[in-house]
Amino acid sequence: LTENESKVAEIRQREESSLTPRPYLTVGGGCLYFIGLICQFTPFCDVFGLIYPGIEFFHGFCYTFVILGSFVLALCTFLFVIGLCWSCTRPWAAIVLIAVGLLGELMLFGGIVSIVIWTLVAIGIFYIYFKWAPEYFDDKQKEFPGWLQDLGNFWQLSSSADEWKKAAAIGGENLGAESRGLVGGFPGGKWMLQQGDEASQAIQEAKDKMSGQGPTQSGTI
């Protein structure tokens, strides 16, 4: 029973630590998607500028609209995808994100004015649902209703390089642990992992001897 409890505790700790890199991966993926949209839509300004040389829109303002439109489209898609991912764990917050994302994609076809209107509406909705309402129930010392859910930690990014290294290290460790578990499930996988661990230990001992240090406890690959 004690062994099972320790395994459960280890699994829970691994799951909690696996959430550390998630905010960086989420926001990083959204930024890459935004850059990809810009690279995809910018050439259309040059093409339409050649087809319609007399229209000034395709010689200046078009690039501004592409950047702004790509940002809005990337943000709406970002919110929609996160909403889908949260549909099982945070259903009410997911509905808010999905509704705002879909509304933004529809308003995108209306031009600059509709984009500005959507931006103001989205800011208002997010402020009321994720900021004002939680503070209201905190001030009243009331329990949060079931429909009021938070954003989690995906938006809590640190500007410290040490935190980035920590998130990357934890992500690498979790990936390695998951890979070992996957390999160990195949026929002969445990033997391969054992051979790899022994080889890693031999290499570490050889490095210690070359550096003039005594034998140390080595890790696994």
Side-chain angles (χ1 to χ4, degrees):
L1 181 62
T2 304
E3 182 179 358
N4 292 334
E5 291 179 353
S6 62
K7 289 183 178 179
V8 171
E10 180 182 356
I11 292 174
R12 288 179 177 176
Q13 183 178 4
R14 184 184 302 173
E15 290 179 350
E16 291 178 358
S17 63
S18 66
L19 301 180
T20 303
R22 185 177 64 174
Y24 301 93
L25 295 176
T26 303
V27 176
C31 293
L32 291 176
Y33 182 64
F34 169 56
I35 295 173
L37 289 176
I38 292 179
C39 296
Q40 180 180 359
F41 292 136
T42 298
F44 286 99
C45 292
D46 298 327
V47 173
F48 285 116
L50 294 175
I51 297 176
Y52 305 102
I55 301 180
E56 294 296 329
F57 175 83
F58 298 114
H59 297 279
F61 188 71
C62 180
Y63 298 101
T64 303
F65 183 77
V66 164
I67 295 175
L68 180 60
S70 297
F71 176 77
V72 174
L73 180 58
L75 181 59
C76 293
T77 306
F78 181 79
L79 296 175
F80 180 77
V81 172
I82 292 179
L84 291 181
C85 294
W86 286 1
S87 59
C88 294
T89 57
R90 293 187 180 96
W92 290 105
I95 292 175
V96 173
L97 296 183
I98 291 175
V100 173
L102 291 178
L103 178 61
E105 293 188 357
L106 293 176
M107 298 287 282
L108 184 62
F109 295 99
I112 298 295
V113 176
S114 63
I115 290 177
V116 173
I117 294 175
W118 172 82
T119 302
L120 297 176
V121 172
I123 292 175
I125 292 175
F126 287 151
Y127 176 80
I128 293 174
Y129 186 84
F130 294 110
K131 179 71 174 177
W132 178 82
E135 291 181 352
Y136 172 80
F137 285 99
D138 280 338
D139 293 339
K140 297 296 183 179
Q141 296 182 352
K142 295 181 179 180
E143 184 179 355
F144 282 16
W147 52 265
L148 186 59
Q149 298 170 329
D150 59 19
L151 282 171
N153 70 333
F154 89 92
W155 57 275
Q156 297 175 352
L157 301 179
S158 173
S159 59
S160 172
D162 293 334
E163 292 294 330
W164 299 349
K165 293 178 181 179
K166 178 182 177 181
I170 292 176
E173 291 176 359
N174 293 330
L175 180 61
E178 294 294 335
S179 300
R180 287 180 63 87
L182 180 63
V183 173
F186 289 103
K190 293 183 178 179
W191 178 84
M192 294 174 59
L193 293 174
Q194 182 180 0
Q195 296 300 315
D197 293 342
E198 293 176 356
S200 176
Q201 182 179 358
I203 293 173
Q204 184 63 42
E205 291 178 354
K207 289 182 178 180
D208 292 340
K209 290 180 180 179
M210 292 179 62
S211 61
Q213 300 177 357
T216 59
Q217 295 291 333
S218 60
T220 60
I221 61 172

